[in-house]
Amino acid sequence: MKKIELETPIEEMSEADLRETFSQVMEAHESNVEELEDLEEQAGNAAEYSAKLEELEGDLEVAASYFSTKASEVTNIDEELLAERFSMGELVEMAGRADEAAADFSETCENCTTPQECEEDGECKEGDESVFADKPQKSPKFSADKLEDRKEAAKSRMKSIGGISL
């Protein structure tokens, strides 16, 4: 804002000085009006931005509540504590893990116990089932009548372990 100051009293000014002073006053006034309009526009924008900010903060609180609810399923921590202590990115990541865990359980059909047993269309796989008894034995094979052989094999394995004397 421009200040308008007169150095000479009006009574002592000539007509030419008065005209010049009046034109300076009008220029300063027009400049002040333009600045005022700019300030009013900025104030209006600030009010609009403030309202938008309040709206977004409300949305952020709703989102934090949603994701902390999802994350509490995985972490078993109170929703309010999660929302207070963790950032939005961390809450989204935890909620994603909760969704993955829920998807793992929901991919089974009513006849299967694990998702791996089900086909893409939700039907159970046929013929790929294996039973524990069908799998090959991985331990050393001994017969019941060769007890001495088992003892000798056990002793040789134990000798390879340091600090054990037989």
Side-chain angles (χ1 to χ4, degrees):
M1 300 281 284
K2 292 186 177 183
K3 286 188 174 185
I4 303 168
E5 295 182 19
L6 298 177
E7 297 172 5
T8 309
I10 295 176
E11 296 84 28
E12 297 175 8
M13 289 185 184
S14 67
E15 188 176 325
D17 291 338
L18 285 173
R19 289 182 191 275
E20 183 180 334
T21 304
F22 181 70
S23 63
Q24 290 173 351
V25 167
M26 290 306 295
E27 287 174 14
H29 175 69
E30 287 174 8
S31 174
N32 288 344
V33 167
E34 289 174 7
E35 284 184 42
L36 179 64
E37 288 173 354
D38 289 343
L39 287 174
E40 287 175 344
E41 182 180 339
Q42 290 175 0
N45 289 342
E48 182 180 321
Y49 293 145
S50 176
K52 182 77 171 174
L53 182 64
E54 288 177 11
E55 180 183 328
L56 292 175
E57 285 175 346
D59 292 346
L60 184 63
E61 288 177 16
V62 170
S65 173
Y66 171 78
F67 288 121
S68 64
T69 301
K70 285 279 199 181
S72 71
E73 295 172 6
V74 172
T75 61
N76 295 326
I77 299 175
D78 184 49
E79 299 166 10
E80 293 174 8
L81 186 63
L82 284 171
E84 181 180 313
R85 299 274 171 99
F86 291 96
S87 70
M88 183 58 73
E90 293 168 325
L91 289 174
V92 169
E93 184 179 323
M94 286 186 262
R97 280 189 258 142
D99 288 341
E100 289 171 4
D104 287 344
F105 289 115
S106 66
E107 289 179 0
T108 62
C109 64
E110 61 274 353
N111 298 328
C112 300
T113 56
T114 63
Q116 292 79 17
E117 295 176 359
C118 293
E119 294 285 341
E120 293 291 323
D121 59 358
E123 296 296 322
C124 292
K125 290 181 182 177
E126 303 276 335
D128 288 344
E129 297 178 25
S130 64
V131 180
F132 181 74
D134 295 339
K135 296 188 179 190
Q137 180 177 347
K138 293 181 181 178
S139 64
K141 296 183 181 181
F142 297 107
S143 63
D145 57 340
K146 296 184 179 179
L147 183 60
E148 270 316 300
D149 290 341
R150 287 193 306 196
K151 286 183 181 180
E152 288 301 317
K155 279 184 184 180
S156 68
R157 286 193 307 268
M158 294 297 283
K159 284 182 183 178
S160 66
I161 299 174
I164 297 178
S165 60
L166 299 173

